[in-house]
Amino acid sequence: MTPLLQIEAVGKSFFGVPVLRNVSLNVAEGRIVGLVGENGAGKSTLMNLLGGTLQPDAGSLRFRGVPYSPKNPGDARSAGIGFVHQELNLFPNLSIAENLFLTNFPILGNVGGPSQRWEISLPGIDRQRLQMGARQLLNQVGLNLDPNTPVAMLSTGERQLVEIAHALSFHPRLMILDEPTTSLSFTERERLFGQVRELREDGYSFIFISHTLGDVLRLCDDVVVLRDGEVVGQGPATGFNPARLISLMVGRELTRLFPKRGSPEPLDRTATAPLLEARSLSQPGVARDLSFTLHRGEVLGLSGLMGAGRTELARILFGLEPHQTGTIHLKGQPLTGSPRRRIQRRLAFLTESRRDDGLCLEASVADNMALVTLPDHTRNPLRLLDVRRLGAALSAIREAVRIQPRVNNEQPVKTLSGGNQQKVVLAKWLLAEPEVLLLDEPTRGIDVGAKSEIYQLVRDLADRGAGILVISSDLEELTGLCDRILVMSRGRLTGNFPGPDFDRERILSAALPT
């Protein structure tokens, strides 16, 4: 039987540097193929070839049995290939329905009547059909939302599901899902997987790109592993396990994903005063009577379902959002004022979306790393930039966070892989030597090797006395990294679980609304 998609000996180079080398793989009708590899392995380049934004230097593509050479994304969509990208492409000022049908609005007949001498022939949007179509698509991905809701009011996870619904609106035969679960809770992930499996039974095919190897093995029928632009392993998913995938991806055995804790004994939190303390924080619709403490040397996890209020709590702590009642104390003193003032008190916040909130994409790697601490690298009295001192600091922090040597400080940060972009954001904050670090989804969309390095950085920082709050939708990440885990549900704290032996069922139960 002819495969739905055939990729044969494809190669691609940029400025003479090979990115894809002799890549061959097939996707059959009604199959889910997992595509895994470290950041920079060539996954995005391969997907850009399928999407028509790049053309191969060598090899050929066939789709549905005929040669396939798309010149733009419209060609790919017309052929029957749909994309759900890791970085969301929604218009926040438009409604869900308008985003779902932005390029194919249902149209009314001519506006105007025969009695009019000047007949207006401009088409109008059929709002009733728009609403009906939007509700059907939202039901497919399990979102019970009003289609008229502005996308700006949605959480990141809800926006991800809207993106998936938008791709379904074109009825593709092959859908490429690029990290679709990074912002989804366990329940939402299971709902999505159920929908994907139903579509597979109807003959749809999928390429599922994810750094969450457990999801790949649980969902996919087949697996393809890329390393340095080459296929280094492929076959039925039953022939792989996480250890083998990691070994193929990184070219070596990664014996330990999470670092050892500084002490085998639980932290004695009565021995020292709290480093960060929240007392009875409340904000209508966001937080209700929240109280917790974070101690020196502690990695404190924050778990909960999408919409529980975790990100909003971090934004309140950093001064980006207000709170109606309650207080925040840092080292025993009230924490008030702007984010700038809180940075001066050595509080740092790595946001959930690095591209929207954490980076200046057009600026260089060096400029992004220096954003927070640039005033510290000036000379009095004229406040001129001390280039030598700044360069030394950037070199040291690059080495500390292990940014790849081939990354040039002067290149735009938008050209980096997701893992290196995240390391640049982390470097920016580590240069400020924070005493409290708020991390919101710190490993979203990055590969297992980069995750391991970031986990080690977090643990090293805690061992030096910092307090770290880790917000994550990945329960394995929280249980492997954290000393203690808090759980939020509907704006309230519903659980406080000490480590290191966490009960996952109890944590999940505390996250469910009652």
Side-chain angles (χ1 to χ4, degrees), residues 143 155-158 161 183-185 188 304-310:
L143 273 180
S155 68
T156 302
E158 289 169 332
L161 291 173
S183 299
L184 305 185
S185 68
E188 293 151 352
L305 302 180
M306 182 177 67
R310 299 171 303 167

Side-chain angles (χ1 to χ4, degrees), residues 229-267:
E230 297 181 276
V231 175
V232 293
Q234 62 179 313
T238 53
F240 294 89
N241 57 36
R244 185 185 175 204
L245 286 178
I246 291 171
S247 179
L248 287 168
M249 287 168 58
V250 303
R252 65 187 189 279
E253 186 178 359
L254 189 63
T255 58
R256 189 179 186 91
L257 179 60
F258 298 102
K260 292 183 178 180
R261 292 173 172 84
S263 169
E265 299 298 325
L267 288 171

